[in-house]
Amino acid sequence: MPVAAAGDDAEVQRDVTRETIEQYADLTGDENRLHTDPEYAAEGFFGGVVAHGMLGAGLISAALAALPGDIVYLSQDLDFAAPVRPGDTVRATAEVVEDVGDDRVRVETVAEVVDGDDAETVIDGEAVVLSVPHEN
């Protein structure tokens, strides 16, 4: 199996629902009321329930996993630009931009809320991953 190299890219797209957010909260134990309590969240910073930021980051991880080779996260920088709300469709992309040596590549990562031809960046970042051939 080939390994990830400069120019390779991958993407995943998922719909985020209230159920998705509740399942994420149950799985992680992150019960922050901005994510889990509609009445409380309506009065909060975002004016309603929003998805956990790391749920969007998890979609970036899924895009990285879709790159060639076995992918192992080494580091990730994330800037959270906007919230993801129930009903949003999130597209996460990963593009290899540089081979940094020792089977490591630098990858630009983005998560966007998409609506038809429109897209708003919600997470922007950069990862370094190990990309090695799959051994059978």
Side-chain angles (χ1 to χ4, degrees):
M1 172 185 269
V3 296
D8 288 338
D9 62 356
E11 78 174 48
V12 298
Q13 185 167 303
R14 300 284 186 271
D15 295 328
V16 175
T17 65
R18 279 284 298 136
E19 182 179 16
T20 307
I21 296 167
E22 290 167 7
Q23 289 171 339
Y24 187 88
D26 288 343
L27 179 67
T28 63
D30 182 347
E31 299 288 337
N32 182 321
R33 293 172 67 191
L34 294 174
H35 309 303
T36 61
D37 183 336
E39 290 179 18
Y40 179 84
E43 301 296 322
F45 182 77
F46 296 108
V49 168
V50 295
H52 302 73
M54 295 310 288
L55 192 154
L59 296 177
I60 289 172
S61 179
L64 287 167
L67 290 169
D70 283 344
I71 301 297
V72 178
Y73 247 128
L74 298 176
S75 67
Q76 173 79 61
D77 292 323
L78 299 170
D79 292 316
F80 295 92
V84 173
R85 300 180 184 280
D88 285 346
T89 299
V90 178
R91 176 179 58 220
T93 59
E95 180 183 358
V96 179
V97 294
E98 180 183 13
D99 179 343
V100 294
D102 294 327
D103 297 325
R104 291 162 167 76
V105 293
R106 187 170 60 84
V107 185
E108 290 183 358
T109 59
V110 177
E112 302 171 303
V113 169
V114 294
D115 183 12
D117 291 334
D118 295 329
E120 176 186 13
T121 298
V122 293
I123 304 172
D124 188 28
E126 180 178 284
V128 174
V129 300
L130 185 65
S131 177
V132 295
H134 181 76
E135 303 278 334
N136 284 349

